[in-house]
Every structure is written in structure tokens, then in C-alpha cells.
Amino acid sequence: MNNPAVETDFEHRLVEAIQPIRHLALAHALYTMLDNGVYQTVKAEPGLTSAAIAERHGLDAERFAGLCLYLANEGYFAQRAKGAQEGWHLTEKAKALEPFQPWYTLLVGGYAQTFGQLGEVLKHGAPFATRDGAKVGAGSCGMSMFDALPLADRLLNTLPAQDLTVVDLGCGDAAFLTELVRRRPGLRAVGIEPDEVGSRLAEERVEAEGLSDRVTIHRGRAADAVSVELPTDGTLCFLTAFVLQEMLEQESEAAVTELLRKTMNTYPGAYWLVIEVDQQLDDPRTMSHALGLSYYNPYFLLHVITEQRLEKRAFWDDLFDRAQLDVVDFAHPDASVDSTALELGYLLRRREPAPQHV
């Protein structure tokens, strides 16, 4: 039996209810355009037809034409007359996307497959969900240009600039590390990356940017840091950006503590620069923040189902204390980029033993 009240309201409720599905499709479409070079082509040469763009990138012309129309309906592509044909150009809405490509690389390129495994991974005894490690590394490095890298740069100002070497454990494609080197003349750097694709991309980036004389890349785990030949002149600073969280889950808390202690015992005058995230998924006030909902809420969820372990600030404070490390400096990213204060930056040094009084 039909209910007139329900019938007249149904379409409105349907539209509201399926917005997440719309955004799912849109996220994939935008990521694809940003990742396969189409975005840059349309930006550089507005007015090309969909057939010309498809040929340029080795795409199926008919399928790509459908994507163009889809993006036009969502307000990202628009047609422009070109003689007797219609060419495509980016709308202002699409142009505004460019700085934020790394977020798409991380969350769609790196973790779309992860969210797709949610139903299976929630089952008791199921293994962790998988991810695309190379995309995760590339996206994370790109995002870090806006928050973690300026944060690291600010903390490094505490250290002497002359003869400083930064050892980046889990350097990804080295975008973070090479940018840090460019910002600090005279800085030397060593990158260590476990992912095969990521380490290869890091080597290629270092060579392409002409930094081979200042940056060395090794393939290996963070725990391999003490087995890599490092400069002994000047100041050493070990760096992990969102890496200890992986060691916590994939190895153990003891392994993290051992890494910190071992490197500091091997290089007593060294520093550690750690960037991590304060896990506040259970704090409704924090998660109601606009960036909390749009970024950190899915970010925290994917960490629950992948082989990574986020912790609260109090946990990190306690772990560093037990590892006999003192906090030399502490900071959050610039509030104009991220005002949640969920990203944590520590500059640490080995605690000196208390003087013995006779």
C-alpha cells in the first residue's frame, strides 16, 4: 500500500542518502585524472578534444569521452569551442585541486583498495588490509610539504646548520628529504626505504634533481639504520615521519624503543626528530573539527584496519621517557595549514646521566 507522505519525500531522502556513493565515484575520477597526466595536459593545452587527449595518453577514446562528460557534470571540466569541434578545459573548481593532489594520491591511490577490504578485514581472525605502499609513500611525502616538512625544518633550526646530516628512516620517494636538502644549504642526507618501488623512485628523484652529492638512498628497514655507513663528522639527526607507528604494529613497542636506544648508543651525540599523529578517534570534540572529519576520520579508520598503530601523545611522551630521551623541542604544524594540533613534532636527544654527588 502506497503512503503518499513517504512517496513525496522519497526522492529527497534518496538524494541525501546516496551522496557518499557519489563522492566515492568522484574521488576515483579526480584521482585518475590527476594521476595519469590528463589534468596537466588539459591545464597546459586547454581546448583539446577528448579524442586528442585520449590519444596523447593511450586511453580508449570512447571511455575517456564518458569521463570528460562525467567531470563536466560535476563541475570540473567545461567545453570550449575550437573551430567546428568542442575542446575541454579545467574549470576554476578543477584548478583549485592542484595543490591537494597528494591527498588523493595517499587516500585514493594508496588506500582505496584498503577501504574496499573493510567487510572482510572486520571478520574475527582476518589479516590486515593491504595498501599500495609506493602510492602511500608518494602521497605522504607530497602532503608533508605543507605540514610535516615545515615542522621538521623549524625543529632543525635548533641544531647547528654546519655539517648536519639528516637520516630519514622510511623516506618514501624522497620528495620530503630532497626538499629539506634544498631548503638547507650544506645539509647532507641519507634516506632508507623498505619498499622496492619507493626506494627506486627515491634514487631516481635524487639523480634527476642533481642531489647525488648530498643525498644517498639505501633500501632497508628503519632498524637497519645502525648498519648503514653514516658521516661521523658534524651532527647527526635521525628522522622518522609517520614511521614509528608502523614499527609499533609490524614489530613491537620494544622494537621501537630498541631502535631509539641503539641509534643513540651508537651515535651518542645524535638527535632524533619524530613526527607522529595524536590518535583522537574517540574524542567527539576533536573529530567534529572540519579537517578532523574530512581527513583525520578516514585516516584514523584506515590505520585501524592496516598494519599500523596510532597512539595518543601521552603514549609517545612515555615511550621517549622510557627510552631515556629528553625532549629538546616540540611543535605542531602551522595552524593555517592544520589547526587540529593532532600532528606532533618532537626533537629528542639522549638523556645525560645525573651527576654523582660524593
Side-chain angles (χ1 to χ4, degrees):
M1 181 176 178
N2 292 334
N3 184 328
V6 172
E7 291 297 327
T8 55
D9 189 49
F10 181 83
E11 185 179 57
H12 173 74
R13 293 188 294 113
L14 172 63
V15 170
E16 290 299 312
I18 65 175
Q19 286 303 301
I21 300 173
R22 171 195 173 193
H23 293 137
L24 171 67
L26 183 56
H28 280 278
L30 293 176
Y31 165 70
T32 298
M33 178 181 66
L34 290 162
D35 186 62
N36 66 7
V38 165
Y39 181 95
Q40 291 300 329
T41 295
V42 179
K43 178 188 174 186
E45 301 179 57
L48 290 175
T49 64
S50 61
I53 301 168
E55 183 177 4
R56 178 84 58 89
H57 292 277
L59 307 175
D60 180 274
E62 185 174 352
R63 295 173 187 173
F64 180 67
L67 176 61
C68 291
L69 292 170
Y70 168 83
L71 289 170
N73 291 334
E74 286 287 358
Y76 290 92
F77 271 17
Q79 288 186 305
R80 172 181 294 168
K82 184 182 180 184
Q85 297 178 315
E86 291 293 321
W88 291 102
H89 68 95
L90 301 178
T91 63
E92 292 304 313
K93 184 179 180 180
K95 292 175 183 176
L97 277 177
E98 189 167 21
F100 310 108
Q101 179 173 351
W103 280 260
Y104 284 84
T105 301
L106 179 84
L107 292 173
V108 184
Y111 286 113
Q113 61 175 281
T114 306
F115 290 120
Q117 300 166 57
L118 186 59
E120 289 300 314
V121 80
L122 287 177
K123 294 178 181 178
H124 181 70
F128 284 107
T130 59
R131 56 184 174 155
D132 185 323
K135 293 293 185 184
V136 169
S140 181
C141 281
M143 290 164 56
S144 293
M145 298 299 156
F146 297 88
D147 50 22
L149 190 137
L151 174 59
D153 200 29
R154 190 159 77 247
L155 290 171
L156 287 175
N157 286 335
T158 306
L159 306 182
Q162 188 174 5
D163 297 325
L164 174 62
T165 299
V166 169
V167 185
D168 187 356
L169 309 182
C171 66
D173 68 354
F176 184 106
L177 193 57
T178 54
E179 178 61 24
L180 196 61
V181 168
R182 277 196 297 268
R183 291 184 179 207
R184 307 182 75 86
L187 177 69
R188 298 171 297 185
V190 177
I192 301 175
E193 170 57 38
D195 184 82
E196 181 179 0
V197 176
S199 62
R200 186 182 73 247
L201 291 174
E203 291 172 348
E204 292 171 356
R205 181 183 293 274
V206 169
E207 184 175 354
E209 297 185 12
L211 295 173
S212 299
D213 59 330
R214 296 173 62 192
V215 183
T216 305
I217 302 296
H218 299 272
R219 185 183 173 198
R221 302 175 306 130
D224 298 329
V226 293
S227 63
V228 172
E229 185 175 346
L230 300 175
T232 54
D233 59 318
T235 303
L236 274 179
C237 182
F238 294 93
L239 164 68
T240 54
F242 320 111
V243 168
L244 297 186
Q245 58 183 250
E246 301 209 2
M247 287 189 68
L248 277 177
E249 186 62 58
Q250 296 168 19
E251 298 180 50
S252 65
E253 184 178 327
V256 174
T257 307
E258 176 63 17
L259 172 65
L260 296 169
R261 285 178 174 166
K262 193 171 184 179
T263 50
M264 293 309 226
N265 288 336
T266 306
Y267 301 96
Y271 292 82
W272 262 94
L273 199 163
V274 174
I275 300 177
E276 277 297 338
V277 179
D278 187 3
Q279 207 282 71
Q280 293 292 333
L281 187 60
D282 58 349
D283 182 356
R285 181 176 179 180
T286 299
M287 299 315 299
S288 67
H289 185 288
L291 190 60
L293 275 177
S294 61
Y295 172 66
Y296 282 107
N297 204 34
Y299 178 83
F300 288 152
L301 174 60
L302 67 86
H303 280 75
V304 172
I305 62 175
T306 55
E307 204 171 4
Q308 304 172 86
R309 177 180 154 195
L310 296 179
E311 287 289 353
K312 297 182 183 295
R313 177 177 175 177
F315 171 90
W316 294 111
D317 292 343
D318 180 64
L319 185 145
F320 298 143
D321 182 63
R322 286 186 283 111
Q324 299 297 300
L325 300 179
D326 285 329
V327 178
V328 178
D329 201 356
F330 175 86
H332 298 293
D334 191 299
S336 66
V337 174
D338 183 346
S339 60
T340 65
L342 290 173
E343 196 166 297
L344 314 171
Y346 293 88
L347 184 65
L348 306 157
R349 194 173 193 184
R350 189 173 74 163
R351 182 176 302 152
E352 297 299 327
Q356 299 294 318
H357 297 285
V358 181

